[in-house]
Amino acid sequence: MSLPLFEIVALDWVPPDPAGFDALILTSANAVRASGPALARYAGLPVYAVGPATARAAEAAGFAVAVIGTDDAEALIAAAAAHGVTCALHLGGRETGVVAGGIIAASIAVYASEATEIAPESLRALAGTTALLHSARAAEQLATLIDRDGIDRATIALAAISPSVAKAAGLGWRQVVIAPQPTDAALTAAALVAGD
């Protein structure tokens, strides 16, 4: 069963001159999908992608990916700095924790994750299942909704893409399994373990 907690909404943004940057940092595949035609202006910049899904989206859009991160935005920015990047453009979501400073010359929100309304009966259908969590924000939102509707957390197992995502979900779940790598494949494998 699919139960999206957020809807991705493209934001209007003003693309800065690409000549002012030496790399493009992408912390979500949604940034690629939501950027619109203006993204093509940065095709000459090497991309530092937070994970495989973001890298695939960038490559599909015609970008050369220099580094695929294996952890989080902070680790990705450190990797870019280690590769000599000094003036990067970050494109991400409105809710991102990445701000201008250090090697990030500009951080621009190109999309927003808007919470969707989920009926209590849909949430109750999660009992006995495993919920897959891709972000700390999703983990917090799921916990809030479950608690709001008085659903027992102990009836739901969680598969989290990282330790920080698991932590954001809080305590009391039937089981919490953390993916060994922050990839969709590893998350799916973790969900299978949680479902046992």
Side-chain angles (χ1 to χ4, degrees):
M1 146 178 165
S2 177
L3 192 63
L5 299 174
F6 300 99
E7 176 186 6
I8 302 303
V9 178
L11 300 176
D12 290 333
W13 63 292
V14 177
D17 184 349
F21 306 100
D22 59 1
L24 180 60
I25 297 204
L26 299 172
T27 51
S28 170
N30 291 323
V32 178
R33 293 188 280 266
S35 293
L39 183 64
R41 296 184 65 185
Y42 306 99
L45 297 176
V47 166
Y48 290 77
V50 75
T54 303
R56 283 191 300 274
E59 288 170 344
F63 287 85
V65 175
V67 169
I68 300 173
T70 58
D71 195 3
D72 58 17
E74 186 177 322
L76 179 65
I77 292 167
H83 279 88
V85 172
T86 61
C87 195
L89 170 62
H90 167 255
L91 299 180
R94 183 178 61 201
E95 299 79 14
T96 186
V98 178
V99 296
I103 70 162
I104 305 295
S107 181
I108 300 175
V110 297
Y111 73 91
S113 297
E114 302 288 352
T116 58
E117 187 56 41
I118 299 176
E121 55 271 17
S122 296
L123 290 168
R124 282 192 290 277
L126 291 175
T129 69
T130 301
L132 281 68
L133 298 172
H134 286 86
S135 72
R137 187 163 177 246
E140 292 166 357
Q141 179 71 355
L142 179 64
T144 297
L145 293 172
I146 291 296
D147 294 347
R148 176 198 73 185
D149 292 337
I151 299 166
D152 185 0
R153 289 184 182 197
T155 64
I156 303 167
L158 300 181
I161 202 160
S162 71
S164 61
V165 170
K167 182 178 180 183
L171 303 173
W173 304 96
R174 184 179 83 227
Q175 182 180 11
V176 178
V177 178
I178 300 169
Q181 300 155 342
T183 65
D184 287 336
L187 182 61
T188 301
L192 293 174
V193 170
D196 286 345

